[in-house]
Amino acid sequence: MISLNNLTRVYRASDVETTALKSINLTVKEGEFIAIMGPSGCGKSTLLSILGMLDSPSSGCYQFNGDDISDYSEAKLAQLRKTSIGFVFQSFNLIDELTVYENVELPLQYLKISKKQRKDRVEAILRRMAIDHRADHLPQQLSGGQQQRVAVARALVINPKLILADEPTGNLDSKNGEAVMNMLRALNQAGTTVIMVTHAEKEGNYADRLVRLLDGQIMVDKASQTIDTTEVA
């Protein structure tokens, strides 16, 4: 699904040059669950931004489904993001003025899908995330765990090939955090590819594979001791 070859990201500001990622080589197969881990400033978020096509590498090759996207225009990247990638953020990133239903429907409005199809897909994903009883509520009327369920529903409503999760439990208590991790694991077991940035070892263990970064380089890439979610649910 994804292949990064000798990928580097350098940021330049006046006379200062910072190398955020250096010579990254990474392959992601369809259906994998990968946790990207490492200390603050190691390049985790930069790597996730590049994987999500929100940032571009300074050099190197990024192949997505066999196509080199390194030189894609922003319009072409945006279209690929809208149809292929679902994002789940630590801060939920829900729109306060929109209801749960409207927040989840929003990505579909950019895909030229009919109103009936949008309705069917939104209602189905809200039921799947067990948040359909809150469809008419505003985000501020929900608990943190419920808001993250809405964020996951919004990511899934486009039927993405890939879910990118950036510290998805960072603003949740342990119970709700565990529920979100079990949800991501279940989605992966149903066939969705998941790449997650986290600093928590317990959450990293939900993944099949751990990629550890240090100073912008991959230091470890190995299989994880995956948690059996039937025991922690």
Side-chain angles (χ1 to χ4, degrees):
M1 171 179 264
I2 289 173
S3 177
L4 307 182
N5 184 23
N6 205 29
L7 188 143
T8 295
R9 181 64 169 106
V10 178
Y11 294 101
R12 295 179 178 87
S14 49
D15 295 331
V16 179
E17 185 175 281
T18 303
T19 300
L21 296 173
K22 183 178 180 182
S23 301
I24 297 292
N25 294 291
L26 181 69
T27 299
V28 180
K29 296 179 181 177
E30 191 169 340
E32 282 195 287
F33 188 162
I34 296 177
I36 300 172
M37 305 187 70
S40 296
C42 71
K44 304 187 299 292
S45 294
T46 299
L47 179 55
L48 200 71
S49 291
I50 289 175
L51 289 169
M53 306 171 199
L54 300 171
D55 193 6
S56 300
S58 302
S59 62
C61 176
Y62 178 1
Q63 289 189 332
F64 189 85
N65 285 335
D67 295 326
D68 185 351
I69 66 167
S70 303
D71 295 322
Y72 274 22
S73 67
E74 178 51 42
K76 199 168 183 180
L77 289 173
Q79 183 61 28
L80 192 53
R81 279 196 304 270
K82 287 188 292 187
T83 57
S84 301
I85 302 175
F87 295 89
V88 179
F89 300 97
Q90 174 180 345
S91 56
F92 315 137
N93 283 13
L94 301 176
I95 298 174
D96 290 340
E97 294 77 18
L98 299 182
T99 64
V100 165
Y101 182 99
E102 290 166 340
N103 267 282
V104 175
E105 182 189 31
L106 192 60
L108 297 178
Q109 295 182 343
Y110 300 110
L111 297 180
K112 298 180 180 179
I113 293 173
S114 71
K115 186 173 182 179
K116 183 182 185 306
Q117 285 179 306
R118 294 200 307 268
K119 182 174 185 293
D120 291 344
R121 286 170 68 166
V122 171
E123 290 179 348
I125 201 65
L126 290 178
R127 286 194 300 270
R128 185 178 176 187
M129 293 295 103
I131 199 70
D132 51 309
H133 62 296
R134 298 287 192 178
D136 294 329
H137 287 66
L138 297 171
Q140 58 266 34
Q141 297 174 304
L142 308 180
S143 68
Q146 289 172 331
Q147 288 187 60
Q148 194 61 295
R149 284 179 179 271
V150 177
V152 172
R154 182 184 57 191
L156 288 175
V157 76
I158 64 168
N159 297 322
K161 299 179 176 69
L162 173 66
I163 291 270
L164 295 179
D166 189 1
E167 301 280 6
T169 66
N171 285 331
L172 303 177
D173 59 33
S174 58
K175 181 180 178 181
N176 281 310
E178 188 174 281
V180 167
M181 290 310 305
N182 283 329
M183 192 187 312
L184 289 175
R185 184 68 188 156
L187 293 170
N188 172 252
Q189 290 171 337
T192 304
T193 305
V194 178
I195 302 177
M196 171 184 67
V197 159
T198 182
H199 66 277
E201 294 291 334
K202 180 180 178 182
E203 287 155 13
N205 286 335
Y206 279 82
D208 301 310
R209 183 174 155 204
L210 294 180
V211 174
R212 295 187 184 274
L213 298 184
L214 183 65
D215 297 333
Q217 295 180 284
I218 294 177
M219 307 305 292
V220 175
D221 185 347
K222 67 174 185 178
S224 168
Q225 298 297 317
T226 307
I227 288 177
D228 183 352
T229 56
T230 62
E231 295 180 359
V232 297

